[in-house]
Amino acid sequence: MPFQLYTVNHLTHSLSEVAQAAAQAAEKESEWLDTPGVHSLVLVSTCNRVEIYTSADPEVRLVPASELPSQTQPLQVPSHNQTHDGSLAWNFIEGRAVAEHLYRVAAGLDSMVVGEAEVAGQVRRSFTRAQDLGEVHGLMVRMFEGALSTARKVASKTELTGLGRSVVSVGLDVAEASGRLPNWRQARVLLVGTGAYAGSTVAQLRARGVRDIANISTSDRVIAFAKNHGTRVVPAADLVPALQQADLVVTARGIGAPVLRREQVRDSLVAPDSTLTILDLALHRDVEESVRDLPGVMLWNLEDIRHRVPALAVSQVRRAHEIIEEGLSEYDAAVAARHMDPAIVQLRAIFEQAAAAEIDRLPAGDMISREAAEAAIHHVIAKLAHTPTVSAHMAAEAGLGAEWVGALATVWGLTPAVLEAALNAEVR
């Protein structure tokens, strides 16, 4: 059954449309999985892409035809991101192109920041979740395992991860370049969120020398997060005083509604010369857009950051592509091997049927004589040899004896000496 991919990502859509796709996918995941003809499904949702990988019968479509391109060529992008009725238009890919796309995504080549370190972990977590829920089977397991293995090779054999830093790192670079922050060792940072991006933010800040990082209490997880990451907790009721003391605010919660509102930021700017730098890393924006208009506030979100990503060394990207092609070749070999499964199953059934027939012929009782056992074994061998013997004679009569011997050598691992003897033997 062919693989299908439905994707909305930063390369073809705005981040607000990515957020819209994320909400739609979260709502419909169970419905999609229960669709007749769907056999596996993995949902990958990150800050800049939403992708539904599925193995399904050819006629099955998870997204209505009106929301797909008119043609289903690999990597085709819709000419308009909204359909005539206002629905979101998804990109659609099928066949081997799905594996090519996944391998590129896992390796970080399709990220907002090429070589982004977090994306492989996001793909792995999505795959693991699907496995835990029993939603992924067969060759799709092999495809994801191969993509993640290849991503590790790209990370270890190229400098792509170092050159293409994470979205968090680029965002911090943008904030630093503004010239409004003190030395990193003196900077006071207020963090909103306890997820993967929040953890990455703490790591990036520590690497830059930041010592004062506070977590605003927005959920029950903040205590454990602060303990694990060495940050201090600020009660939610003290948000405005915490904003007054902060040089930089980083939000990475993304719950679908702003957690930092205009009036809260405005109330924190008490002094005439008050300034505040805010970095909103949430896909579903954590900061009200109107905050940007407040005097003394400088706000960047993911849409701003995407236009400030650095260029990468061409040689590193080229090497990454080579590693991906090697990984895809291994995947193709695995797919080809799986295509032989029906023939192998049939062959085993023939063997088992021949053995069962001889077992039924054995004398009753717990013990049988050596002669009876030998006779049974010879009967099985004779039955298994009958069909190949007939086909060998037919092949020879048709002038295909050499091809038949070559095929037999491949199946049974015959040595060159045996082949030569078979092809050159005189009939007596």
Side-chain angles (χ1 to χ4, degrees):
M1 66 201 69
F3 289 156
Q4 301 175 0
L5 169 63
Y6 305 82
T7 174
V8 171
N9 60 68
H10 69 101
L11 297 173
T12 57
H13 293 74
S14 69
L15 293 182
S16 63
E17 289 169 328
V18 174
Q20 181 182 345
Q24 180 179 341
E27 178 183 350
K28 289 184 171 291
E29 182 181 7
S30 297
E31 175 186 328
W32 286 334
L33 189 64
D34 292 337
T35 300
V38 171
H39 307 281
S40 290
L41 188 144
V42 178
L43 170 61
V44 177
S45 183
T46 75
C47 69
N48 53 33
R49 69 178 61 250
V50 177
E51 303 194 327
I52 306 129
Y53 294 85
T54 182
S55 60
D57 295 342
E59 69 277 5
V60 173
R61 293 291 182 268
L62 298 184
V63 174
S66 62
E67 299 175 25
L68 295 175
S70 58
Q71 302 293 325
T72 56
Q73 299 300 319
L75 302 179
Q76 183 173 355
V77 175
S79 56
H80 301 287
N81 291 343
Q82 300 290 333
T83 62
H84 66 279
D85 63 355
S87 301
L88 184 66
W90 292 70
N91 303 328
F92 179 71
I93 306 170
E94 63 181 347
R96 185 183 185 274
V98 175
E100 296 176 12
H101 181 87
L102 176 60
Y103 275 58
R104 285 178 52 86
V105 168
L109 290 183
D110 273 5
S111 296
M112 184 184 298
V113 182
V114 176
E116 180 185 349
E118 280 82 6
V119 67
Q122 292 165 336
V123 171
R124 183 179 63 255
R125 287 189 290 274
S126 298
F127 173 52
T128 300
R129 172 179 176 272
Q131 286 184 304
D132 292 342
L133 295 175
E135 296 178 354
V136 58
H137 314 280
L139 274 176
M140 184 166 283
V141 173
R142 178 65 180 82
M143 182 176 71
F144 271 85
E145 289 177 344
L148 292 168
S149 174
T150 299
R152 289 192 292 271
K153 291 179 181 177
V154 169
S156 64
K157 295 183 178 181
T158 73
E159 298 177 4
L160 200 63
T161 302
L163 291 170
R165 296 155 301 169
S166 70
V167 169
V168 174
S169 180
V170 174
L172 293 177
D173 285 350
V174 169
E176 182 180 18
S178 70
R180 297 171 48 136
L181 298 178
N183 179 282
W184 282 116
R185 292 183 63 84
Q186 299 173 338
R188 294 167 296 181
V189 179
L190 179 64
L191 179 62
V192 180
T194 56
Y197 265 166
S200 180
T201 298
V202 173
Q204 293 278 357
L205 289 170
R206 295 296 190 206
R208 294 166 187 250
V210 177
R211 293 176 289 187
D212 188 350
I213 305 175
N215 271 94
I216 194 70
S217 180
T218 56
S219 72
D220 294 337
R221 295 185 299 175
V222 70
I223 301 298
F225 180 93
K227 182 178 179 180
N228 291 334
H229 293 84
T231 61
R232 56 187 176 86
V233 177
V234 175
D238 294 336
L239 173 60
V240 171
L243 291 173
Q244 291 174 343
Q245 298 174 10
D247 299 302
L248 172 66
V249 178
V250 182
T251 66
R253 195 172 185 213
I255 60 174
V259 293
L260 197 58
R261 301 187 179 280
R262 179 185 176 90
E263 59 269 19
Q264 294 168 324
V265 177
R266 182 198 59 209
D267 292 346
S268 71
L269 302 171
V270 291
D273 58 347
S274 294
T275 62
L276 184 62
T277 301
I278 305 174
L279 189 59
D280 185 355
L281 299 179
L283 175 58
H284 300 276
R285 295 181 184 176
D286 282 337
V287 183
E288 283 187 339
E289 182 62 20
S290 61
V291 167
R292 191 186 300 270
D293 301 328
L294 291 172
V297 173
M298 188 165 284
L299 168 65
W300 289 281
N301 56 37
L302 287 176
E303 197 71 54
D304 302 318
I305 294 170
R306 71 188 297 190
H307 301 300
R308 292 173 167 83
V309 298
L312 294 179
V314 174
S315 62
Q316 298 301 313
V317 175
R318 183 183 299 116
R319 177 59 181 137
H321 278 290
E322 292 172 353
I323 295 171
I324 287 174
E325 286 303 316
E326 294 168 2
L328 285 169
S329 295
E330 295 176 0
Y331 168 75
D332 289 339
V335 172
R338 287 296 299 272
H339 285 166
M340 299 302 294
D341 285 356
I344 293 172
V345 169
Q346 184 63 32
L347 186 63
R348 288 182 178 275
I350 292 172
F351 291 171
E352 290 171 359
Q353 184 179 8
E358 291 309 312
I359 290 172
D360 289 341
R361 289 163 48 94
L362 291 174
D366 295 334
M367 301 292 292
I368 62 173
S369 67
R370 177 185 178 90
E371 290 77 10
E374 288 180 350
I377 292 172
H378 286 303
H379 272 112
V380 171
I381 292 173
K383 286 184 177 181
L384 295 179
H386 174 72
T387 299
T389 300
V390 172
S391 69
H393 292 160
M394 294 175 63
E397 292 170 0
L400 300 174
E403 288 81 355
W404 187 93
V405 172
L408 190 69
T410 300
V411 173
W412 293 107
L414 300 183
T415 65
V418 172
L419 291 179
E420 184 177 359
L423 293 174
N424 298 325
E426 295 182 3
V427 178
R428 300 184 184 275

